[in-house]
Amino acid sequence: MGWVIVGVYGLFAFVATLNLLLMRRPKPGDGPEICVLIPARDEAENLKRLLPALRDQGGPELRIYVFDDESTDSTGQIARDLGATVISPSEPLPKGWTGKNRACDALARAAAEDSPADWWLFLDADVTPKPGFLQAMRKLAKDAGKTGMITGFPQMLPGRGVEPLFLGWVGWILLATNPFGLVSRTGRGHNRFKNGQIHLWRATVYTRLWPNERVKDKIMEDVVIGRLLAKEQIPVDVVNLSGVLAVKMYDNWRETLDGMSKNSFEITGSAAGSVTLSFLFFVVSFGWLGAGPQWPWALGLFVGSGVAMVATVRAAVWPILLMPILTAIGGVTVLRSLAWKLKGQTRWKGRIYP
């Protein structure tokens, strides 16, 4: 039994290492025209950093659209001052829509109306482009083949204090259980994945699906759209973007816990699924203790899977020394997300989604 447990942790380490080695790392190059679409709610400070960086790389001809999602700060004015086309809603958020889905849908409709670009690059406002980012995305589009959407993993910048410990389980569960690199390299299978922070769409594919409208009530829309793309048999390429893009999602551990509690329920989409997933997190966190004399092997491979994850996204290193706690936090977060859902208290950025 002990070696069986070792084998399970070995599989996690193997998949995470495959992703580290096989996921493509894009380099700058020539490619088709891209327009940038940014959903933004109270993102004035982030836009002051993001928009000039994009303009420096894309030049004055780069089309940038920002959806000002009923912001209470100067998001819209800052975006206009920095040369973006700003879209503002004509009414409050309609019933049955989440804010991000409405924003992305409206951005895409604006691009479809007046942008000649063949590819649409959706970016969250909290990302930070590194030198060569836009050129790397153009090169990916040029080499896309039959791929309909390209997404990936940016560098994960740490927040303050223990924040990386509360976010680390997200990178681990994705990179230690999904062979993104193998699927992309072989063209076989589908990862059913989209990272909502960055996704580059072939415009004809987006307008055939209008995916954000189809999943308009989903809080974790990227997971559901990933499944939709698999159902529609649209190839997706998942790449390692840590060399050209970074993101700092949250500032402290409480923001992280709340942010992931907002959407973790929709990983499974059901109460039974959430309880099961949480249970599996706890089993993974402490299952190595049941490996008997082989427990050092099991724990070592567990930590090794964390090492590969951290190396892939260039995240903070110290949380992997606490791997059992890191993944147990994932279990707690999933249960907390379920509790929010059952109470009708799922909330984010001043909105409550019943």
Side-chain angles (χ1 to χ4, degrees):
M1 183 63 179
W3 287 112
V4 172
I5 294 174
V6 170
V8 172
Y9 288 100
L11 182 60
F12 293 142
F14 177 68
V15 172
T17 302
L18 273 185
N19 284 324
L20 173 62
L21 297 176
L22 295 183
M23 287 174 66
R24 289 194 294 144
R25 294 172 172 83
K27 296 181 179 180
D30 295 328
E33 183 178 354
I34 288 173
C35 72
V36 180
L37 312 178
I38 303 171
R41 179 172 169 85
D42 295 334
E43 297 285 6
E45 293 304 312
N46 281 328
L47 291 177
K48 291 178 184 178
R49 172 184 41 78
L50 173 60
L51 295 180
L54 292 172
R55 188 64 69 193
D56 287 345
Q57 293 187 26
E61 70 277 6
L62 177 66
R63 291 174 179 256
I64 304 175
Y65 299 82
V66 172
F67 185 89
D68 181 11
D69 186 10
E70 302 179 55
S71 298
T72 58
D73 64 5
S74 56
T75 288
Q77 190 58 52
I78 291 294
R80 289 187 190 91
D81 292 345
L82 293 173
T85 299
V86 176
I87 303 162
S88 300
S90 58
E91 61 179 350
L93 183 67
K95 184 177 181 180
W97 283 81
T98 64
K100 190 168 185 180
N101 277 316
R102 175 178 66 163
C104 289
D105 184 74
L107 287 164
R109 293 183 188 278
E113 184 174 337
D114 62 15
S115 172
D118 294 327
W119 289 83
W120 299 343
L121 176 61
F122 290 84
L123 291 177
D124 278 359
D126 56 4
V127 300
T128 301
K130 299 181 183 182
F133 166 67
L134 281 179
Q135 290 72 25
M137 300 310 294
R138 289 191 176 109
K139 185 66 165 59
L140 284 171
K142 180 181 179 181
D143 299 338
K146 296 181 179 180
T147 297
M149 191 269 289
I150 301 167
T151 189
F153 291 89
Q155 179 184 5
M156 298 300 296
L157 300 176
R160 292 182 293 153
V162 297
E163 187 275 340
L165 187 65
F166 280 75
L167 187 61
W169 67 270
V170 180
W172 182 85
I173 192 66
L174 289 170
L175 290 167
T177 64
N178 294 278
F180 296 113
L182 189 62
V183 170
S184 291
R185 294 285 185 177
T186 63
R188 302 178 68 87
H190 201 293
N191 287 122
R192 301 170 179 263
F193 176 76
K194 177 179 80 71
N195 181 358
Q197 299 163 337
I198 173 169
H199 37 113
L200 177 65
W201 287 81
R202 197 183 297 272
T204 53
V205 171
Y206 190 99
T207 55
R208 176 160 64 88
L209 296 178
W210 292 108
N212 290 100
E213 182 180 31
R214 290 175 66 170
V215 304
K216 62 184 181 181
D217 63 333
K218 302 301 181 184
I219 297 172
M220 199 174 187
E221 80 292 333
D222 45 1
V223 169
V224 187
I225 290 175
R227 294 167 184 164
L228 172 64
L229 290 165
K231 181 180 178 181
E232 297 287 342
Q233 299 183 337
I234 294 172
V236 171
D237 195 6
V238 182
V239 299
N240 185 339
L241 296 169
S242 62
V244 294
L245 188 71
V247 63
K248 181 180 178 182
M249 294 178 64
Y250 305 106
D251 184 58
N252 55 63
W253 72 268
R254 185 55 187 262
E255 280 187 10
T256 305
L257 182 61
D258 285 349
M260 298 315 302
S261 296
K262 163 180 66 78
N263 53 22
S264 294
F265 171 83
E266 289 181 0
I267 295 174
T268 64
S270 70
S274 294
V275 171
T276 300
L277 179 60
S278 180
F279 173 75
L280 291 175
F281 266 119
F282 290 121
V283 169
V284 168
S285 299
F286 305 108
W288 53 274
L289 292 170
Q294 289 79 40
W295 73 264
W297 287 93
L299 180 58
L301 289 166
F302 189 19
V303 173
S305 67
V307 170
M309 178 271 290
V310 163
T312 299
V313 297
R314 305 186 188 188
V317 175
W318 66 265
I320 64 175
L321 301 176
L322 302 170
M323 281 298 294
I325 297 175
L326 181 148
T327 48
I329 288 173
V332 171
T333 304
V334 171
L335 287 180
R336 190 168 184 256
S337 182
L338 172 60
W340 278 19
K341 187 73 172 181
L342 294 177
K343 294 178 181 179
Q345 294 179 346
T346 302
R347 57 188 181 271
W348 189 242
K349 289 195 171 184
R351 287 179 173 139
I352 296 178
Y353 296 100

